[in-house]
C-alpha cells in the first residue's frame, strides 16, 4: 500500500471558494459510495492502494484527488464509471485560481501579444524549464507549490491546439535564450521547442538582440489579449501601476508600445536563424 504522497493529490486552497466547494462535493459523494458498498475506510484504502489518512482527507474535502485515485475508487466500488466521470469536475480545480482565470482568458483570445525581458513566456516553456524556474524561486517553494505551478503552466499550452488557431506573437530578449536555466541539456531542449513552435500555424517568435541601441521595451514585460468581440485586456510592468487594464485607450498605448518593440526586434525569419545559432552554441 502506498503512503499519502504529493502525487496522490493536492491540498485545497482555502481561499479558492469555488474549487473548495467542488472538492467537498466530490468527497461527500465518494463517502456515500463507500458506505453504500459497506466498506470501512481501512478496507477501501487497501483496495485502491492509498493510505487511510488520504482517504479521510479526500472524503472531508481537504485534498484534491488525482484522476488515478478516482479511477481506482470507481473500480473498487463498482460504480460503473460514475465516480470516474467526476474527473471532469475535479481536473480544473487542481490548478490555482489565478491560473484558471488566466487560462480562461487565453482560451477566449483571438490574438496574444507578449514581450518578455527576463524569462521566457510561460506558454513557451518546456516542462523541465518551467520546473527549474519554480525550483529556484526564493523564498523556496514547497514540493506541492512547485508541482502545482508546473502543472498549471503546462495546462495553458492547450492554446496551441485550438481550432481555429489564435494569432500568437512573442518577443523575447536575447538573454532569455542564453541563460542556461536548468542546465545545458534542459536549455537545448527548450531552444529546440522554440524552433518547433515557430513552425506552428499562427505563432510568430521574434528576438530582441542585446546590442540594440534603441529599445521601446526597457520598461519591462508587456502582454495584451484581444477577443473576438473587440474587447481586450493588457498589462505592462511600467505602466498603469502594473495592473491589468481594459480601457481601450490604455490598451491602445500598450499595443503601440508592443508594435514599436516588434519593429526593433529581429524579423521572424532572422529570429529563427538566431535561435538555431544559439542552439548550436549551447
Amino acid at each position: 500500500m502506498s503512503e499519502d504522497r504529493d502525487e496522490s493529490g493536492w491540498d485545497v486552497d482555502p481561499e479558492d471558494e469555488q474549487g473548495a466547494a467542488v472538492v467537498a462535493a466530490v468527497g461527500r459523494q465518494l463517502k456515500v459510495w463507500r458506505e453504500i458498498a459497506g466498506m470501512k475506510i481501512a478496507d477501501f484504502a487497501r483496495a485502491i492502494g492509498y493510505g487511510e489518512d488520504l482517504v479521510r482527507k479526500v472524503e472531508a474535502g481537504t485534498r484534491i484527488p488525482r484522476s488515478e485515485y478516482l479511477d481506482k475508487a470507481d473500480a473498487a466500488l463498482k460504480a460503473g464509471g460514475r465516480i470516474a466521470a467526476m474527473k471532469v469536475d475535479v481536473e480544473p480545480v487542481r490548478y490555482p485560481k489565478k491560473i484558471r482565470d488566466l487560462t480562461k482568458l487565453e482560451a477566449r483570445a483571438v490574438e496574444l501579444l507578449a514581450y518578455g525581458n527576463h524569462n521566457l513566456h510561460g506558454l513557451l516553456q518546456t516542462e523541465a524549464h518551467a520546473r527549474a524556474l519554480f525550483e529556484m524561486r526564493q523564498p523556496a517553494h514547497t514540493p506541492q507549490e512547485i508541482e502545482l505551478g508546473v502543472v498549471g503552466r503546462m495546462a495553458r499550452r492547450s492554446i496551441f491546439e485550438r481550432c481555429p488557431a489564435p494569432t500568437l506573437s512573442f518577443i523575447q530578449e536575447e538573454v532569455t535564450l542564453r541563460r542556461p536555466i536548468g542546465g545545458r541539456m534542459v536549455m537545448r531542449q527548450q531552444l529546440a521547442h522554440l524552433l518547433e513552435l515557430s513552425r506552428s500555424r499562427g505563432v510568430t517568435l521574434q528576438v530582441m538582440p542585446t546590442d540594440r541601441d534603441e529599445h521601446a521595451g526597457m520598461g519591462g514585460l508587456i502582454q495584451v489579449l484581444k477577443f473576438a468581440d473587440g474587447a481586450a485586456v493588457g498589462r505592462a510592468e511600467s505602466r498603469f501601476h502594473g495592473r491589468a487594464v481594459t480601457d481601450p485607450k490604455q490598451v491602445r498605448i500598450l499595443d503601440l508600445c508592443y508594435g514599436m518593440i516588434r519593429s526593433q526586434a529581429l524579423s521572424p525569419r532572422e529570429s529563427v536563424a538566431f535561435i538555431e545559432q544559439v542552439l548550436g552554441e549551447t
Side-chain angles (χ1 to χ4, degrees):
M1 181 188 302
S2 62
E3 297 298 325
D4 286 3
R5 305 164 300 184
D6 288 337
E7 56 264 36
S8 63
W10 294 285
D11 292 335
V12 175
D13 181 355
E15 297 183 2
D16 181 5
E17 295 182 4
Q18 180 181 359
V22 170
V23 177
V26 169
R28 286 193 298 270
Q29 291 186 54
L30 284 168
K31 183 178 181 180
V32 169
W33 275 97
R34 177 180 60 77
E35 291 177 341
I36 290 175
M39 296 181 73
K40 295 182 178 179
I41 287 180
D43 298 328
F44 178 64
R46 189 160 42 249
I48 64 175
Y50 289 106
E52 294 179 34
D53 187 52
L54 174 63
V55 173
R56 290 190 178 90
K57 288 179 179 178
V58 169
E59 293 187 355
T62 61
R63 179 68 69 91
I64 305 171
R66 276 184 176 268
S67 58
E68 294 87 348
Y69 183 102
L70 295 174
D71 284 334
K72 291 179 179 180
D74 191 280
L77 298 173
K78 298 180 174 58
R82 289 186 285 274
I83 290 177
M86 292 190 285
K87 291 188 290 186
V88 177
D89 302 308
V90 174
E91 181 67 17
V93 182
R94 294 169 58 195
Y95 315 128
K97 185 177 184 300
K98 64 179 181 180
I99 297 297
R100 298 204 305 271
D101 293 343
L102 178 57
T103 302
K104 288 178 182 178
L105 286 175
E106 290 175 343
R108 289 177 46 220
V110 296
E111 185 177 2
L112 178 148
L113 312 175
Y115 162 67
N117 66 332
H118 188 58
N119 289 325
L120 284 169
H121 191 279
L123 290 173
L124 301 177
Q125 295 171 14
T126 64
E127 181 174 345
H129 187 96
R131 187 176 300 279
L133 285 172
F134 281 112
E135 287 177 346
M136 68 178 60
R137 288 191 177 182
Q138 295 295 330
H141 283 358
T142 65
Q144 176 173 304
E145 288 172 332
I146 292 172
E147 185 66 20
L148 283 172
V150 173
V151 169
R153 187 156 294 178
M154 293 303 100
R156 291 171 54 202
R157 297 200 304 184
S158 61
I159 193 172
F160 295 110
E161 302 168 4
R162 279 176 45 197
C163 186
T167 299
L168 308 175
S169 172
F170 301 93
I171 305 172
Q172 289 292 153
E173 285 291 332
E174 176 182 342
V175 66
T176 65
L177 307 176
R178 293 192 179 278
R179 182 173 291 123
I181 301 296
R184 178 172 174 271
M185 289 309 300
V186 169
M187 200 60 202
R188 283 187 59 83
Q189 293 168 358
Q190 176 63 71
L191 292 169
H193 180 63
L194 292 178
L195 291 174
E196 181 180 354
L197 286 177
S198 72
R199 295 188 287 270
S200 301
R201 186 163 50 93
V203 177
T204 301
L205 290 178
Q206 291 180 254
V207 177
M208 175 64 80
T210 302
D211 63 5
R212 285 290 195 260
D213 58 4
E214 290 190 12
H215 191 341
M218 296 304 290
L221 176 149
I222 295 176
Q223 180 159 312
V224 178
L225 292 170
K226 300 180 181 180
F227 309 103
D229 61 0
V233 59
R235 186 174 76 85
E237 289 181 335
S238 62
R239 294 182 180 273
F240 314 121
H241 305 287
R243 295 193 299 268
V245 295
T246 56
D247 182 275
K249 292 181 180 179
Q250 294 175 323
V251 174
R252 180 60 177 160
I253 291 173
L254 301 184
D255 210 358
L256 289 171
C257 187
Y258 186 85
M260 182 61 70
I261 300 170
R262 181 158 49 186
S263 70
Q264 295 168 337
L266 296 177
S267 70
R269 180 174 297 181
E270 292 170 334
S271 297
V272 168
F274 187 90
I275 296 171
E276 290 174 337
Q277 176 187 334
V278 176
L279 176 58
E281 298 170 355
T282 302

